[in-house]
Amino acid sequence: MLNRSQIKIVLDSLENMFPHADCELEHENPFELLVAVVLSAQCTDALVNKVTKDLFKKYKTPEDYVDVPLEELQQDIRSIGLYRNKSKNIRKLSQMLIDEYDGEVPSSKEELEKLAGVGRKTANVVSAVAFGEPAIAVDTHVERVSKRLGICRWKDSVLEVEKTLMRKIPKEEWSATHHRMIFFGRYHCKAQNPQCEVCPLLELCREGQKRMKKASK
Ligand code: SF4
């Protein structure tokens, strides 16, 4: 496992590589971000952005989503995986926002997590990106990168990864690190074919060294 000074090296490298890493889901307000993050489960941000380009022109408020028949919303997002469930959740969460929050998106993670279809990861992303709350949302990239680099253990659950990262990374760096880890996992330390041979972290990455050794045989 990496020690504190090695983790500092990781954070500095991520900052050097991706100084402007940010949420890639296009949105203009917290409600659009919430809908986009719900849609993004098991789906690429690029596809979500393609769909929300038109979706957000048609649906601007929670009322707009509950006012149309479910089937119409399903048609509008049908190119996205799990669109049937996602349509139901978006309508349910819209109704909850109308009933309990005057149509506004709450900023606390606890309240966000009570909304239909909103898990811990979604709540973390929305509270961090839309409201500037410190949070580390653990998606597939953050989990993979944390484990490959030895910041967390391979057997750790997603929740354990989140808690370990929160313990080992200064709070003021949580949100920026979360975005940088996503970029690092998406564009460099990819699930298939990570770019170990040109990785600035190879020296302290056991997984990368293992892969390089295997490739040289
Ligand atoms: S050395 Fe390879 S496995 Fe390790 S962080 Fe870099 S790209 Fe990922």
Side-chain angles (χ1 to χ4, degrees):
M1 301 285 278
L2 299 191
N3 60 34
R4 272 188 194 281
S5 59
Q6 289 171 318
I7 289 175
K8 171 89 174 68
I9 294 171
V10 170
L11 298 185
D12 289 347
S13 288
L14 294 182
E15 185 178 2
N16 279 338
M17 290 175 84
F18 303 106
H20 307 299
D22 206 347
C23 178
E24 292 195 300
L25 291 169
E26 283 159 19
H27 63 281
E28 288 194 352
N29 54 55
F31 181 57
E32 286 188 354
L33 176 65
L34 177 59
V35 172
V37 182
V38 169
L39 291 175
S40 72
Q42 295 179 47
C43 180
T44 64
D45 287 1
L47 178 57
V48 172
N49 287 338
K50 204 170 154 198
V51 169
T52 56
K53 202 167 177 236
D54 290 330
L55 192 76
F56 291 163
K57 281 184 198 147
K58 178 173 175 182
Y59 303 85
K60 295 190 182 301
T61 65
E63 285 82 0
D64 293 336
Y65 287 95
V66 295
D67 283 350
V68 297
L70 175 62
E71 295 69 27
E72 187 174 333
L73 178 56
Q74 285 179 340
Q75 277 307 302
D76 289 336
I77 65 165
R78 69 186 178 286
S79 55
I80 287 192
L82 309 173
Y83 70 93
R84 288 197 176 86
N85 266 343
K86 288 176 183 175
S87 306
K88 283 183 199 158
N89 282 333
I90 289 170
R91 276 165 56 88
K92 271 192 216 160
L93 75 81
S94 294
Q95 191 63 58
M96 288 171 82
L97 292 179
I98 295 165
D99 294 343
E100 296 170 40
Y101 299 98
D102 211 12
E104 299 293 324
V105 177
S107 60
S108 85
K109 290 176 216 167
E110 294 71 24
E111 286 176 302
L112 284 162
E113 267 194 88
K114 288 181 194 156
L115 300 172
V118 177
R120 195 176 174 93
K121 189 194 82 175
T122 301
N124 275 335
V125 172
V126 174
S127 75
V129 175
F131 300 107
E133 297 290 328
I136 299 183
V138 178
D139 72 349
T140 178
H141 300 297
V142 175
E143 182 180 3
R144 183 178 67 253
V145 166
S146 302
K147 290 181 176 180
R148 279 182 177 167
L149 277 167
I151 300 173
C152 303
R153 294 168 302 183
W154 282 103
K155 62 177 186 180
D156 284 348
S157 66
V158 170
L159 184 58
E160 284 168 335
V161 170
E162 183 187 326
K163 287 186 173 166
T164 302
L165 292 174
M166 286 165 78
R167 208 173 54 246
K168 294 186 173 179
I169 295 170
K171 194 170 185 174
E172 62 277 12
E173 293 181 40
W174 287 356
S175 297
T177 301
H178 151 246
H179 292 304
R180 287 171 190 153
M181 276 189 162
I182 289 177
F183 272 53
F184 186 69
R186 194 175 277 161
Y187 303 114
H188 182 91
C189 185
K190 301 173 192 175
Q192 309 294 331
N193 304 321
Q195 297 167 29
C196 305
E197 64 284 359
V198 292
C199 184
L201 297 171
L202 178 60
E203 220 169 282
L204 48 78
C205 178
R206 275 211 205 148
E207 173 67 18
Q209 289 163 14
K210 233 193 298 174
R211 283 171 180 265
M212 293 296 289
K213 213 169 163 186
K214 209 170 158 193
S216 69
K217 276 183 187 169

